[in-house]
Structures are given as structure tokens and as C-alpha cells.
Amino acid sequence: MHEISLTPSQATALQRLKDFLRGDSSCFLLRGSAGTGKTTMVSALLAHLDASQRPHASLAPTGRAARILGARTGSAAGTLHRGIYRLETVEVFEDAQTRNDPGIRFLYPLRTDDPADTVFIVDESSMVGDKAAEGDVLRFGSGRLLADLVEFARLSRPGRDPARGARIVFVGDPAQLAPVGDNRSPALSSDYLRETFGLRCESHELTEVMRQSSGSAILERATALRDAIARQDFNAFDLAEAGDGAAREIRHLPLAEALDHVAQAFRSRANSVLVTGTNAMALELNRAVRARLWGDEHAAPRAGDLLMVNRNAPMAQLMNGDLVKLLAADAEPEVRQVPIRGETQPVALRFRRMTMAYRNGDGAVVQVEEVVLENLLESRDRELSPLELRALLVDFRQRHPQLQPKSAEFRATIRQDPYFNAVQVKYGYAVTCHKAQGGEWDTVVVHFPDANAGRNEAFFRWAYTAITRARGSLLLVDPPRFSRLGIDFGEAVAAPPPVTGAQAEAPDPQDDPDWDRYSFNPGQELLFAHHLRLRAALSAAGVGIVRQQHAQYCQKYWLERGGARAALQYFYKGDQRVGSIVAMPGAPCDAALLSECLEAVQRALSVAPQAAPDAFLDDFRRELERAVAADGLRILSAEPGSYRLRITFEGDGRRGQVDFHYDGKKRWTRATEVGGPGGSRGIFQQVSGAVDAAR
């Protein structure tokens, strides 16, 4: 490996990593925003480990991320799933009848290999989740990827010598999209690793940008979004244009022009991609690009088409997210109408043999000829439906009726069957942000559909991840723009009664010991408020909480009173509003206690509580002060209240007060005139005009 040149800050980081390897901490978090040289640091660490003859393994959460890591570092890399799980059982359910049952499951328990003193380097760790997930077809370990990795490395085992054994280095950008169901990336949080697994962690933040040159507008916009995420302040968003002429670094353009650009970039073999919000929108945009390329948006796959692999295809050595070029395809698909028990209509599976090309980790072009399943090419869904998966199984069973499902021959044959394992693809001109995560392109076109815009963390993370895919230029379609002053002034109303007592200042939820005890995260204030109401209701009934667990859109509770036990769970929506409250399936319960607890919790959570406001008032006041100063007004005072900020203005010898209101998610909503119409002597109307002018 050639000598790696490090900046002084990177040299400091490498020294900290070396000290970590000699110390007694079990994991190290190497965090950094886009372009700060994380991959360079991984290469330097690998060189040090090779020189020290220390065993190591480079891993990533997806196959595509593993391939990119291997190409950039020149060292072999694999997926986390391949590294820590093994296929043990194939379960076939011949009598499956419900539409959401695929009829087959592959069970992958943890491997039992002793990791000894291996150093596991996990790239793109922002995508490593710890929420329980049970796949329809593939089931890995406990369902918690992060917990399984910690268990495989034996970091939490009692009696472990802290100065010996395996270590984990997590590498990633904490501002990128978090795993599904999480508000943050647990693998990049030292607090989460300590509180959940008892791990002692060290960390280092890379701050010096390497990828984009100094003064990059893309970097400037990305840094503003990253800082907003760190502050949990989602009231201002602006991706303004930057640069001059056609070579502008950031440019806004209409959708039709963006689609023309994508088509032309593909024709000229330029390195470009279109990123959008949903699979349904990606389908529409892919159709529009193909209409420009081939004159027919519904044309059959043809030589020259760009395809994106939608699921790992080990037989073809293709990874989920790989972009491949179609070189040749059979003229007609092989369509199989597969009858499914309990369904009135058969399920159609469309296969076509194709020759495709892609670049491997060394940059060499590789050609493969494989059977491709076309069902997703015209689908709005992210993946195959359970019925389509069951149809693949039924088709395999019809072709191999002599194989017994529990036999080793069945397992070996189904893993090598070209139709059951057909490459699943979508068109690759437009992709979702999750599929683009981990990749880089010279030019990135980002399409901002209305559904994505919002004053919330999920949107800011989406936008940050999308724009940081660009190495050179950024083309934006319909980017939203809003500021803290986007307030509804409406009609003046009478002054509200004064706020006193406990209403005046809401307590900080993180001061409650249960916040840390049960590993609540920033952004889960509403869930914690639900927890407090639930705890109070149960405590009044003499019931104690034995254990609590966060799952995907679900909170689970194990309860106890006088030796009797019960377990319940409640489901919640994306905005953390409570949905159903039910008994936990399979948990041993005292029926009487369970019934009493369910009734108490349903009463307690019948009304969603308000979230406590955060300290974001100063930013709003400063922006408002700049806006009204141009109109001859100045701010005399700002008095915080319950979900409002009362500001006293002065101008031209007049004084007046305006209440600015916000909600539990820190979004400014409306303004009201204190004292009713005319109570501010015209200042309310003057402030309204100044804010409109400043938007």
C-alpha cells in the first residue's frame, strides 16, 4: 500500500486510534461530516494494523457500501450480515394462506467463531440500527443488528479482560439518515453504547474538510444543515444558488430541465444521479427519463438501460444498490403464472435473461449473464410483496417436487436456483436517498417533492444526506425555503391569562432518571412524556416497571406487582402519537393484572401530552430583531411563557406586545396581539409587515 499523507488533524486522530488499540476501551467512534477524510483515516488504520500484524475485518451494513469501502481502501471488505451470521435453517410453510406470509424463511443465527483480538472496522455506521426487526424472509439473529455485533465481538461478556479481545471502530456521519425507526444513529452514540451495552467508548470528530475545496457552497449548505440537526432547530432552511453562469456549483431548475439533464448525462456517460424521496416518485421519474431516452416510458428493458440492483444477488456477485448497465436482453420475458392457495388469481412472475456490466472494486468492467426478475421495474413498492415471494417458493417447489423442505439438499438447491435467486432490479436513473446513501457522484440532481418538506429532523437529515452525495455540482428541483419568521399573524385576539406555577416552565425530561435508565434519545420527548403518564398511572395501581424496550414504532413494557407479572406494548405513528395498546404476544402474564394494566394505560395515554420546549428562543429573537429594525422598531424585552414568547416592541414613541406561539416540535405557528385588536397601538400590524418583507 502506498504511503498515506495525513493532515495534522488526521495524524492526531490516528494517534488516538493507536492509543485506543493499546488501552482498555472496547469501541472507538470516528465521526465526521461529508468529505472530512474518514476513508483516508480507515486506510491509515488498516496500514497500521497490517504493520502490527493485528487481525482486522472491514465491514459495512450493505453490500454496496462494502464494495465502495474495499475499492477506496484497497483492502477486502464485506457486509456485517455475512461477517457475523450463518445460515442454519430454511423453514417452509406449505399451508401459508395469509397475503403477508411469504411461506419461507431463512434463519441466520450468530456465528460462533471466536473473534479473538480482531479489530472490526464498521464503515457507514450511521446505517447500523438497534431496533428489533423481523424480516418476512430473512431473519438475522435477534433482529437487532448492533446488539448482535456487540454480542459476536463478545464486548459485553462478563469476565472479559478489557485490555484484550476484539475491538470495534465505528466510522460514520451522525447527521446522515438514521436507521428506520430511529431518530439518531445508535452506533455513533457513545452514550447509547455505554447505557445499552455497558461499553467504554472513545471518540474523535474529524472537522477539516478534504473532499470539497475551501469555500465550497455545497459544503457551506451541508454544514448549516448539520449544525441545525445538532441544535435540533428546524425552523430555517435555504439551499440558495451559488456560482456564476452554467458552471454554478448550486443551481435551481424546473423538473423538465432536470430530466433533460439526467438523460443527456447518461448519453454522454457523465457521472450523475437523480435523488428523490420515495420509491413511487422514483418510478415516475425513471419513466420520464426513459421516455426521453427511448421515446416510450413503458418500453421493455433494452440494451443501454441503467438498472439498480434492489437486493443482494450472491450468485451474480451483485450487491444491493449496485448500478449496472444492460448490454443485452432476451426479446421476450418468460412469464410464469403461479397459483397461490387462497388467492383467486395467480401471481405473475416475469423473468428475462440479461447480460449486464458493472465495475468491481478495482475499477475493472465485469460482465455477468443472469436471470433477472422484472416485477419491480414497474412497481411503486420498495421490494417484492409477500405474495410474490411466496410465488417464487411455489414455483421452485413445482420444479423440484422430490426435494424435502427440511433436507440439506433442499437448502443447497434453493440457494443455487437461478429463478428463486433471480436478480431483482429497478431502473437506476432516479433513486431514493436511502439507496444513494454511501455513494458519490460528480453531479447530483435532488428532487424535493412536497411530501418531503417540513420543519422536522427527518427532512433535514434527508436533505443533508442527499446534497452530500455531490462531489462537484448540485442541481435542485423545487427546494423549499423557509425561515423562523414563517408565522401566521391572523387576527388579533384578547390577551391570554398569565401563566403561573408549574405551567410557566416545563421541566427538562432528561432530568428524570428514567430518561437514561430506559435509553430515551433526543427527539423522543413525546415518547418520554407518554412514559411518564404511563408510569404515574401504573404506580397509582401499585404496579412497577421491570423492563422497557424500544422497538420499531413500538414501546414494550414488562410489569410486576406482588409477584404477578404482565407485559404490554403500545404502537405509535411517525409523529409519536399513540395508536393501539395491546398485550405483548407470547409473554407469560397474570390475566387479572394484565387487564387492570391495559385499562390504566389506555386511560393515561388517551390524550397526547405536550412536549417541553427547547432553548431555541434566542435564534428567533435575533432574526426577528433584524427584520423589525428595518421598519424602525426595536425589541425591549422577550418573556418566555408556556409555548410562547411575549416580545415588547418600541417605535415612534409607542410600545406594544406580541405573543409568538410555537408547538411541541419547536415550530413557530402564529402571532397574537396582546390586549386584543388595537392593544399594541399599531405595532402588531407593523411587525406583521416587517416579517412579510423579511421572508
Side-chain angles (χ1 to χ4, degrees):
M1 182 179 292
H2 66 277
E3 184 176 350
I4 300 172
S5 177
L6 300 179
T7 66
S9 63
Q10 289 175 327
T12 300
L14 181 59
Q15 186 57 52
R16 292 200 61 188
L17 281 163
K18 292 178 179 179
D19 294 341
F20 155 73
L21 295 173
R22 292 191 293 265
D24 55 8
S25 297
S26 51
C27 59
F28 190 100
L29 312 184
L30 182 62
R31 296 181 290 233
S33 59
T36 52
K38 296 186 294 294
T39 304
T40 300
M41 287 303 309
V42 171
S43 297
L45 175 59
L46 289 171
H48 169 72
L49 293 171
D50 287 337
S52 309
Q53 297 185 328
R54 180 80 178 262
H56 56 81
S58 297
L59 303 170
T62 68
R64 182 166 176 266
R67 173 172 286 161
I68 292 172
L69 175 63
R72 292 177 179 172
T73 63
S75 179
T79 65
L80 273 168
H81 291 79
R82 183 178 291 273
I84 69 175
Y85 300 110
R86 73 182 192 281
L87 176 63
E88 182 175 87
T89 306
V90 179
E91 294 182 346
V92 175
F93 303 92
E94 300 279 12
D95 297 326
Q97 293 187 17
T98 61
R99 295 181 63 88
N100 61 353
D101 189 342
I104 187 170
R105 291 181 182 88
F106 294 82
L107 304 184
Y108 292 80
L110 274 177
R111 301 172 66 93
T112 57
D113 316 38
D114 185 352
D117 61 344
T118 299
V119 178
F120 295 98
I121 302 170
V122 183
D123 196 25
E124 297 291 351
S125 291
S126 64
M127 294 191 280
V128 179
D130 199 40
K131 290 290 177 66
E134 292 186 353
D136 288 330
V137 175
L138 306 178
R139 296 196 173 180
F140 295 95
S142 69
R144 296 172 57 194
L145 180 57
L146 179 57
D148 286 347
L149 173 61
V150 171
E151 172 64 23
F152 175 74
R154 305 183 183 183
L155 300 189
S156 296
R157 292 201 174 181
R160 177 182 183 273
D161 184 350
R164 304 179 62 184
R167 311 290 175 92
I168 301 178
V169 178
F170 292 105
V171 183
D173 184 348
Q176 285 197 29
L177 283 171
V180 175
D182 277 308
N183 290 307
R184 65 172 180 174
S185 302
L188 293 175
S189 169
S190 55
D191 289 343
Y192 185 88
L193 294 168
R194 181 184 67 252
E195 295 161 6
T196 306
F197 306 111
L199 302 184
R200 181 176 176 181
C201 301
E202 299 180 29
S203 63
H204 184 86
E205 186 90 11
L206 296 170
T207 57
E208 183 179 356
V209 174
M210 310 298 294
R211 183 191 303 160
Q212 288 108 345
S213 60
S214 177
S216 163
I218 296 175
L219 170 62
E220 178 185 330
R221 308 295 190 270
T223 301
L225 292 176
R226 191 171 191 264
D227 290 346
I229 293 168
R231 295 194 313 270
Q232 293 289 286
D233 179 0
F234 311 112
N235 286 288
F237 185 92
D238 186 8
L239 297 177
E241 292 189 311
D244 299 319
R248 280 174 289 179
E249 186 179 356
I250 300 178
R251 184 159 58 99
H252 297 180
L253 71 173
L255 179 57
E257 188 176 338
L259 293 170
D260 290 341
H261 167 85
V262 174
Q264 181 56 39
F266 180 71
R267 291 191 189 100
S268 61
R269 300 184 180 181
N271 187 236
S272 181
V273 73
L274 195 163
V275 177
T276 190
T278 66
N279 284 282
M281 182 56 69
L283 173 63
E284 296 301 324
L285 297 176
N286 274 314
R287 285 173 173 171
V289 173
R290 297 189 77 240
R292 285 162 168 77
L293 291 174
W294 317 123
D296 179 2
E297 64 180 34
H298 297 294
R302 62 178 60 189
D305 256 324
L306 183 66
L307 304 175
M308 180 187 66
V309 179
N310 203 62
R311 183 177 179 180
N312 287 348
M315 290 178 58
Q317 296 186 333
L318 292 170
M319 305 297 184
N320 186 2
D322 276 345
L323 292 172
V324 299
K325 187 172 183 179
L326 178 55
L327 301 181
D330 287 352
E332 297 295 332
E334 181 181 350
V335 181
R336 297 180 181 175
Q337 301 290 344
V338 183
I340 300 294
R341 183 181 302 175
E343 297 295 319
T344 57
Q345 297 294 327
V347 175
L349 298 176
R350 298 173 59 87
F351 300 99
R352 194 187 301 257
R353 187 166 294 276
M354 299 183 184
T355 302
M356 299 165 286
Y358 68 95
R359 292 189 182 275
N360 65 13
D362 298 328
V365 175
V366 178
Q367 288 191 22
V368 293
E369 182 179 337
E370 297 290 336
V371 175
V372 172
L373 182 63
E374 294 185 355
N375 286 45
L376 288 174
L377 286 178
E378 293 292 333
S379 171
R380 296 176 177 272
D381 298 326
R382 182 182 67 177
E383 56 194 5
L384 294 179
S385 69
L387 272 182
E388 289 171 313
L389 292 170
R390 200 192 315 170
L392 285 171
L393 171 64
V394 172
D395 174 67
F396 174 81
R397 297 283 284 134
Q398 289 175 342
R399 290 183 285 109
H400 301 279
Q402 78 284 1
L403 296 180
Q404 297 301 311
K406 294 184 179 180
S407 68
E409 185 180 2
F410 182 96
R411 291 199 301 271
T413 304
I414 199 169
R415 293 179 69 185
Q416 297 298 320
D417 185 78
Y419 290 94
F420 185 85
N421 298 282
V423 181
Q424 299 176 21
V425 296
K426 287 177 171 284
Y427 290 112
Y429 307 102
V431 303
T432 65
C433 194
H434 277 97
K435 286 295 186 184
Q437 195 168 4
E440 293 176 24
W441 288 263
D442 292 336
T443 300
V444 172
V445 181
V446 181
H447 176 246
F448 288 86
D450 293 341
N452 264 340
R455 299 172 185 257
N456 57 72
E457 182 173 358
F459 171 69
F460 273 61
R461 286 187 179 275
W462 185 93
Y464 173 85
T465 305
I467 70 172
T468 52
R469 302 308 92 211
R471 281 192 295 251
S473 62
L474 188 61
L475 307 180
L476 307 177
V477 180
D478 298 328
R481 180 177 181 271
F482 50 83
S483 74
R484 294 177 181 84
L485 302 183
I487 300 169
D488 178 14
F489 275 76
E491 296 182 1
V493 298
V499 178
T500 59
Q503 292 179 324
E505 292 296 335
D508 185 348
Q510 299 189 34
D511 291 339
D512 190 291
D514 274 7
W515 179 273
D516 292 326
R517 180 181 296 126
Y518 297 123
S519 302
F520 282 89
N521 300 326
Q524 293 183 323
E525 285 80 8
L526 270 177
L527 291 182
F528 190 71
H530 299 331
H531 171 81
L532 294 181
R533 293 162 70 90
L534 180 150
R535 183 182 70 183
L538 294 173
S539 178
V543 178
I545 299 173
V546 177
R547 179 184 168 203
Q548 191 271 354
Q549 179 183 337
H550 305 288
Q552 187 171 334
Y553 296 112
C554 177
Q555 298 286 291
K556 301 185 177 186
Y557 286 85
W558 287 261
L559 312 171
E560 187 270 341
R561 183 179 66 188
R565 293 181 175 268
L568 58 82
Q569 59 191 9
Y570 75 80
F571 296 90
Y572 61 90
K573 303 180 185 300
D575 58 4
Q576 299 183 8
R577 289 182 298 145
V578 176
S580 59
I581 304 169
V582 297
M584 193 182 305
C589 289
D590 178 272
L593 178 61
L594 175 62
S595 177
E596 183 180 348
C597 290
L598 283 172
E599 184 178 350
V601 171
Q602 285 166 350
R603 285 198 307 268
L605 300 185
S606 60
V607 179
Q610 288 184 311
D614 292 333
F616 72 112
L617 305 180
D618 286 346
D619 285 343
F620 175 77
R621 173 179 171 164
R622 283 193 295 269
E623 192 163 341
L624 181 63
E625 199 163 30
R626 288 193 295 269
V628 300
D631 211 40
L633 293 176
R634 65 190 184 95
I635 293 177
L636 295 181
S637 65
E639 174 193 350
S642 180
Y643 294 100
R644 60 99 172 134
L645 184 65
R646 176 168 293 178
I647 295 184
T648 303
F649 298 91
E650 181 183 59
D652 297 329
R654 299 166 298 138
R655 287 190 181 184
Q657 292 182 317
V658 179
D659 279 346
F660 297 90
H661 304 266
Y662 56 93
D663 61 19
K665 292 188 176 181
K666 301 187 303 182
R667 296 176 298 197
W668 294 99
T669 57
R670 60 192 175 91
T672 56
E673 185 173 12
V674 176
S680 67
R681 302 175 62 189
I683 282 182
F684 179 79
Q685 289 75 18
Q686 194 173 353
V687 171
S688 175
V691 167
D692 282 340
R695 288 177 183 174

